[in-house]
Amino acid sequence: TAVQQGVPGKIGSTFTKGKGVYKITKRGKKPEVTYLRPAGKKAKSASIPATVKYKGVTYKVTAIGPKAFSKWKKKLKKVTIGKNVKKIGKEAFKGCKKLKTIVIKTTNLKKKTMGKNAFKGIHASAKAKVPKKKLSAYKKILKKAGIKGKKQKIVK
């Protein structure tokens, strides 16, 4: 049955797929996962997909976990955030000093779903590209999250 679709993974269980480690947060007709951290070697770029398929189930990637990139601080230069992300955990990208390019595809971020200091301490001239219709709202949200340096930009 359709409700049984999410059976392969229990809520709270984790799996590695492609370049990410995910945690199942919702099952059923609309299964969801949280992107916990990158998998494998420390790379210069990371992409949080819109969806991830695991054991025949397609999960929406709706969140980035707290401190997701804490171990990648020294390498990460670019990140792309998928269109289904609604929440970014606290300190997710904190201290990623080389993180200069951030591409945000989602239009679902809100003040209360943006973790504290999520982007604190990133590259001094970092640029965040956001969806056009969300530019003014995201400027406020991202500044609160740590993108507020003189040379840092939030663009559409």
Side-chain angles (χ1 to χ4, degrees):
T1 62
V3 181
Q4 293 284 304
Q5 192 210 359
V7 165
K10 288 183 177 150
I11 287 182
S13 63
T14 61
F15 63 89
T16 302
K17 180 75 182 191
K19 293 182 178 177
V21 178
Y22 302 88
K23 179 176 161 186
I24 299 168
T25 53
K26 193 173 172 189
R27 291 174 41 161
K29 287 184 181 172
K30 295 179 182 175
E32 295 179 1
V33 292
T34 292
Y35 178 95
L36 291 179
R37 65 185 174 279
K41 289 188 177 139
K42 293 178 174 87
K44 289 178 181 166
S45 70
S47 187
I48 288 93
T51 59
V52 63
K53 197 168 183 177
Y54 178 67
K55 290 189 177 176
V57 179
T58 301
Y59 294 90
K60 268 188 175 182
V61 182
T62 57
I64 298 170
K67 298 185 179 179
F69 289 87
S70 62
K71 289 191 172 110
W72 283 43
K73 278 189 235 198
K74 293 180 175 109
K75 287 256 192 212
L76 191 69
K77 289 183 178 182
K78 180 182 180 183
V79 69
T80 303
I81 297 171
K83 67 175 182 173
N84 292 321
V85 173
K86 295 185 256 196
K87 183 178 184 197
I88 296 179
K90 68 177 183 177
E91 300 179 6
F93 300 96
K94 185 183 176 192
C96 292
K97 290 180 175 69
K98 291 184 179 177
L99 182 55
K100 203 171 180 177
T101 310
I102 303 151
V103 179
I104 298 174
K105 293 183 175 176
T106 181
T107 55
N108 304 319
L109 295 171
K110 309 236 180 325
K111 207 183 215 169
K112 66 179 193 287
T113 62
M114 176 63 78
K116 191 176 180 190
N117 297 326
F119 290 98
K120 190 178 181 182
I122 62 170
H123 196 284
S125 52
K127 190 165 105 179
K129 190 176 184 313
V130 302
K132 199 159 116 181
K133 64 181 177 180
K134 286 288 189 175
L135 185 63
S136 63
Y138 277 16
K139 274 189 174 179
K140 288 179 194 142
I141 294 169
L142 291 168
K143 278 183 176 155
K144 192 174 178 261
I147 303 179
K148 56 186 174 214
K150 285 180 185 162
K151 291 181 182 172
Q152 292 177 338
K153 291 186 180 89
I154 298 162
V155 298
K156 59 181 191 252

